[in-house]
Amino acid sequence: QVQLVESGGGSVEAGGSLELSCALSGYLFSLCGMGWYRQAPGKARELVATISSDGTTRESDSVKGRFTISQDNHKDTLFLQMTRLKTEDTAVYYCAADCHSGALLPDKGPIGGYWGRGTQVTVSS
């Protein structure tokens, strides 16, 4: 059974940085397309960044140039390096995986994919 466990969330002042991690177990990590999503209170969940099994990446326009998605296939871990954080980045961040196609994840989330429980990121002014 595939499990995803996020870590690294917390509180930071605007302009600061945080790094999120997501450890995958139960499947061969290198075959999975992975991604980070977030959901702020009262808002729909949105795709933040995604990486395919061949290493292709895509970030949303709202975080491009500030957030970087990466992965370590040896550690079965996905990362999201977040810099120049803004108050509007405050949300619960979720890790997701598509271990069937390995493709970049879609904006609305992987159909039949796997999700972590989320980690809170709070950015204060």
Side-chain angles (χ1 to χ4, degrees), residues 33 35 37 45 96-99 103-115:
Y37 295 77
R45 184 177 62 198
D98 177 356
C99 297
L104 292 170
L105 301 190
D107 290 352
K108 294 188 176 182
I111 298 174
Y114 305 96
W115 293 87

Side-chain angles (χ1 to χ4, degrees), residues 38-55:
R38 67 185 181 187
Q39 187 166 22
K43 294 188 176 181
R45 184 177 62 198
E46 63 173 348
L47 176 66
V48 176
T50 179
I51 184 168
S52 66
S53 59
D54 67 0

Side-chain angles (χ1 to χ4, degrees), residues 16-104:
S17 300
L18 279 175
E19 182 176 68
L20 304 183
S21 300
C22 171
L24 181 147
S25 61
Y27 206 86
L28 191 57
F29 182 84
S30 61
L31 296 181
C32 300
M34 304 289 297
W36 291 98
Y37 295 77
R38 67 185 181 187
Q39 187 166 22
K43 294 188 176 181
R45 184 177 62 198
E46 63 173 348
L47 176 66
V48 176
T50 179
I51 184 168
S52 66
S53 59
D54 67 0
T56 302
T57 62
R58 179 168 66 91
E59 296 84 18
S60 69
D61 289 342
S62 62
V63 306
K64 197 167 293 184
R66 300 188 298 121
F67 291 11
T68 303
I69 189 170
S70 64
Q71 61 189 18
D72 185 333
N73 287 342
H74 297 291
K75 297 183 178 179
D76 296 348
T77 302
L78 177 73
F79 302 98
L80 185 68
Q81 180 67 43
M82 304 184 293
T83 64
R84 292 184 281 143
L85 282 159
K86 304 177 181 180
T87 55
E88 51 262 45
D89 295 319
T90 294
V92 178
Y93 284 69
Y94 297 91
C95 175
D98 177 356
C99 297
H100 302 291
S101 72
L104 292 170

